[in-house]
Amino acid sequence: MIIVMQQDATKEQIEHIIDRIKDLGYTPHPIYGEKRTVVGAIGDERGKFRLESLASVPGVDAVMPILTPYKLVGTDLKGEHSVITIGEHTVGGDEFMLIAGPCSVESREQIITTAKAVKKAGAQYLRGGAFKPRTSPYAFQGLEEEGLKLLKEASDITGLKIVTEVITPTDVLLVAKYADVLQVGARNMTNFSLLKDLGKITKPVILKRGLSATVQDLLMAAEYIVSEGNEDVILCERGIRTFETATRNTLDLSVVPLIRKRSHLPIIVDPSHATGKRPLVGPMALASIPAGADGLMIEVHPNPEEAFSDGAQSLLPDEFSELVKEMKKYLKLAGKRL
Ligand code: PEP
Ligand code: MN
């Protein structure tokens, strides 16, 4: 349920409502808007008639149900878009989040060369998997903690923020020690114990859409993280499985404007995994901007032919740099900046 306070409600009246919500066994989620405060009451729906009686408390304007199952990440409770702060950067507002780097961290030279190149081109974040969720158990699984250390070194040299994947609850604290943003891969979108643990940390999380996940599945996965206390979730569209085999996945760009209506969380696009093909990455990256994306994640490798994973979809540093130049024109039209 949502308790909508009157515009002139006092601080004491708001605090009183928060206490009453707790007394009734619900978790209060106050949202202090510019004009008025609304307080979400999250908990067992069966006792909602008791919350309805709060409508008669001084300072309360209305009590109404939250209609979507994703109560905290939906727009019923919070209408304004969330702006997430990551060091000196933000995502969800005017600043466009540009993440670039190899699929996997392979060596010191590879990651540092790539970091310097993507930084020069204009990216603010370096990506690179140290723990890789591969479809085959025989494929390269990542350098693990050694990879995290190399990412940290690349970050110290370039100032880029680090985005890297965590694949198991056991590694959440280890990855959080090195990463600025933790990534949940498509194959782990429904790993609920991982999502719950990520809800308990204070670092932002990029949540990638599962291979066959609906928009509601994705938003419910985000709800798992936010309901544990971590509100800093960034959604990522990375293509879904369809009957089409000409591309690696099918980029469902329509979810970008759709999710911007249904959720206040930022949404970014990964055109690399969505298409799987280098010539398609640039056009789909650019198309994401007018669609309303808050950022892009793009695979870049200094020598894609020798990449341990995803060479075919990785841009060369020069190609990435050209793409960023092109991107800037679209960002200007969209009222965004790098
Ligand atoms: C990745 O970004 O490294 C990755 C494995 O992507 P996805 O989870 O979207 O397949
Ligand atoms: Mn990859």
Side-chain angles (χ1 to χ4, degrees):
M1 301 291 274
I2 311 173
I3 292 81
V4 183
M5 302 303 295
Q6 287 167 354
Q7 284 202 21
D8 56 0
T10 64
K11 199 166 155 269
E12 288 72 29
Q13 287 172 333
I14 296 168
E15 276 165 13
H16 175 68
I17 284 297
I18 291 175
D19 288 342
R20 291 291 297 128
I21 292 172
K22 285 188 198 153
D23 292 345
L24 293 171
Y26 287 79
T27 308
H29 287 270
I31 302 203
Y32 302 96
E34 262 177 36
K35 291 214 179 87
R36 60 169 91 217
T37 296
V38 298
V39 190
I42 309 296
D44 191 339
E45 297 272 292
R46 286 168 297 184
K48 66 180 186 196
F49 64 92
R50 300 186 66 194
L51 289 167
E52 276 162 2
S53 56
L54 295 180
S56 58
V57 175
V60 174
D61 194 7
V63 178
M64 51 181 80
I66 301 177
L67 297 173
T68 50
Y70 36 88
K71 300 176 190 307
L72 298 174
V73 308
T75 44
D76 279 0
L77 188 55
K78 186 177 178 194
E80 297 151 30
H81 277 100
S82 291
V83 179
I84 298 173
T85 301
I86 306 162
E88 67 274 27
H89 299 294
T90 60
V91 55
D94 300 342
E95 191 183 354
F96 193 74
M97 179 184 216
L98 184 56
I99 308 165
C103 181
S104 315
V105 182
E106 298 166 3
S107 68
R108 186 171 182 279
E109 203 204 323
Q110 175 242 21
I111 198 67
I112 290 171
T113 308
T114 315
K116 285 182 180 163
V118 301
K119 164 81 183 186
K120 192 159 167 239
Q124 312 101 322
Y125 302 81
L126 175 68
R127 62 149 290 146
F131 294 93
K132 294 304 299 177
R134 306 305 300 280
T135 303
S136 164
Y138 310 117
F140 176 59
Q141 305 286 312
L143 296 181
E144 304 186 345
E145 189 167 4
E146 180 55 26
L148 295 174
K149 287 187 179 152
L150 294 175
L151 284 167
K152 179 80 176 64
E153 191 180 340
S155 163
D156 290 343
I157 295 171
T158 58
L160 291 167
K161 300 275 170 223
I162 298 300
V163 176
T164 195
E165 181 161 354
V166 57
I167 57 180
T168 160
T170 334
D171 293 331
V172 167
L173 294 180
L174 174 71
V175 176
K177 203 168 104 188
Y178 296 94
D180 298 290
V181 183
L182 284 79
Q183 176 177 322
V184 177
R187 288 157 195 80
N188 261 318
M189 192 206 79
T190 49
N191 182 343
F192 299 118
S193 43
L194 177 63
L195 301 178
K196 282 185 185 172
D197 284 358
L198 289 167
K200 295 183 185 108
I201 63 168
T202 51
K203 295 230 163 141
V205 175
I206 289 180
L207 176 64
K208 294 186 110 183
R209 182 180 184 184
L211 277 69
S212 307
T214 63
V215 166
Q216 176 153 325
D217 294 338
L218 175 62
L219 294 177
M220 290 309 281
E223 188 81 9
Y224 261 96
I225 303 173
V226 176
S227 65
E228 292 291 332
N230 186 354
E231 293 178 6
D232 295 343
V233 178
I234 301 149
L235 306 168
C236 180
E237 162 61 29
R238 47 77 71 206
I240 48 172
R241 282 238 165 110
T242 66
F243 53 82
E244 184 58 78
T245 51
T247 47
R248 182 174 178 182
N249 291 290
T250 298
L251 176 58
D252 183 7
L253 215 43
S254 63
V255 301
V256 174
L258 182 75
I259 284 181
R260 287 183 61 84
K261 282 230 169 339
R262 296 206 180 158
S263 172
H264 55 83
L265 297 177
I267 172 150
I268 66 168
V269 173
D270 169 354
S272 306
H273 292 91
T275 62
K277 290 189 158 67
R278 186 174 310 138
L280 305 184
V281 172
M284 297 325 287
L286 297 177
S288 304
I289 300 171
D294 293 298
L296 282 164
M297 175 186 276
I298 297 176
E299 285 187 345
V300 177
H301 195 290
N303 190 0
E305 270 176 44
E306 287 179 11
F308 290 6
S309 53
D310 289 350
Q313 67 194 33
S314 298
L315 299 186
L316 282 155
D318 284 350
E319 292 172 321
F320 177 68
S321 173
E322 283 308 305
L323 175 61
V324 178
K325 284 189 196 138
E326 203 58 26
M327 242 181 237
K328 284 184 181 159
K329 300 180 199 161
Y330 289 71
L331 288 173
K332 200 167 169 204
L333 288 173
K336 294 207 163 94
R337 61 181 170 82
L338 278 178

